[in-house]
Amino acid sequence: MTPQTDSNHPGPSRPGPGNPEPGGFGARHPWLLRRVLLFTNFFLIIAAVYHLKPASRSLFLSALGADALPYVWIATATALALTIGLYHRLIARYSRIHVVLGTCAVVITVLLGFYPFLDGSGFAAAFAFYVFVDMVSVILVEQFWSLTNTIFSTREGKRWYGFIATGGLVGGVAGGMASSAWIREAGLETMDLLPIAAAIIGLIVGLTLLMGRTGLYREKPGVANHHSQSAGDWRAILRHRYLLLIAGILLLAQIAEPIIEYQFMKVVEATVTDRDARTAYLGAFFGVLSAVAIGINLLITPLVHRWLGVLGGLFAQPIAVVIGSVVYLSQATLQAGAFLKIADRGLSYSINRASKELLYVPIEPLLMFRAKAWIDMFGYRLFKVAGSLLILLLTQWLPWPLEAAQLAWVVVAICLLWMAALTRLGSRYRGILDRAEAIAETR
């Protein structure tokens, strides 16, 4: 990897990833090819993740049980906190594409290293593997969207983000259903999903190299921090009120997510007791979740963005979670838990994802990369710690602990705060969007 000479306009000076030969294939045919390859890239990322998630969840429930989930979420946040500084130095010094390629190489190596140690379902290996999978799912997805946000304008993003995000949803269906089929039909065991995921990530490496060498990653200008130069730490977010509001709504959502996950995993643990059967169920569930998200993305997201705008899309998830929480409160069954989980993650992976990424598009690329690293990688997990501690407090530490179903009242309260923060974000988004469009008109 070669250092960048200008962090605000990254890319090597010679032909290579992100800086192709003039007149290359990507330069001659950029319009359709870029979108198809981004769709395929996101498809592969989520397909790999949905081979790993069922395995990590099933192994963890077998070794430690659902009541230990808050502790592993706290460990994940700690691990991300320890790596965020290194990640910032890498994206400031090296090409974004080179960082992505290096990340994929590390993930493949670690997956193959885990493979021989998980068969006995020892608690240490299961705990560490869960942490690793959670980190991988965050880092690979956020790296993908960070690269994508630097090459599209807001107008292009509104038109194409739904299509690109659908690639991940199709990957979720394919990955979830395939992971279930490997066990139910092919006779594989839970641990055998690891080398399959490693092979899929190898395909991501090849596709990223192809996009870099054909010039399909080309950064656009954006709106910088109007108070100061882009800082490489969390203080850049605090000085940028718009980014601070984005962080607020996303992190409120992240406090609710572990509570919903805990409620779902409690009923899965009680209902499906065999490890491989649980892995197959979770794989199939993740496939169904992605299929629901595809329907939302194709049928609802474009209409909401057209008639209600980005903020309208962001309101959909908290409203659906309130409804799902009421259902779960009335009957804490596997079906109710699955409905609540789909209401949360199904909308998060579809209309909320497409709407959230459009909030970042007007921001200057380097500031956006760094802000997303703090908000989406570290901040998400930091607030998941808050949710995890809340679970421990209410279900284990209080003299009169609550049942999983009773946590639905907490989720409803969080959603109300979430929607209030979205209302505050609206005027800021319109203002910064006007500034971004003014910059584009002067170029």
Side-chain angles (χ1 to χ4, degrees), residues 264 267 271 281 327-328 331-341:
F264 174 61
V267 295
T271 308
Y281 168 79
V327 172
Y328 187 85
Q331 49 177 2
T333 63
L334 183 61
Q335 292 75 19
F339 177 81
L340 175 59
K341 178 72 173 175

Side-chain angles (χ1 to χ4, degrees), residues 88 223-247 363-364 367 370-371 374-375 428 432 435:
H88 266 153
V223 178
N225 189 341
H226 58 281
H227 291 297
S228 65
Q229 295 296 318
S230 298
D233 57 24
W234 54 269
R235 287 183 291 271
I237 301 174
L238 294 180
R239 288 192 291 265
H240 201 297
R241 293 181 182 178
Y242 176 68
L243 287 175
L244 192 59
L245 281 169
I246 292 176
I363 302 299
E364 177 268 321
L367 174 61
R370 289 170 167 172
W374 280 102
I375 296 171
R428 288 283 177 183
I432 202 167
R435 292 179 58 209

Side-chain angles (χ1 to χ4, degrees), residues 245-295:
L245 281 169
I246 292 176
I249 63 164
L250 299 181
L251 300 181
L252 276 171
Q254 195 62 8
I255 293 178
E257 193 275 333
I259 301 176
I260 295 169
E261 173 80 359
Y262 175 80
Q263 291 172 310
F264 174 61
M265 296 303 288
K266 283 290 287 185
V267 295
V268 169
E269 180 186 33
T271 308
V272 188
T273 56
D274 178 73
R275 186 186 69 181
D276 290 337
R278 188 188 301 122
T279 303
Y281 168 79
L282 289 172
F285 170 80
F286 287 133
V288 170
L289 186 155
S290 294
V292 171
I294 288 174

Side-chain angles (χ1 to χ4, degrees), residues 375-389:
I375 296 171
D376 294 351
M377 292 170 59
F378 175 65
Y380 254 36
R381 288 318 189 244
L382 178 63
F383 274 68
K384 195 165 187 174
V385 168
S388 301
L389 291 174

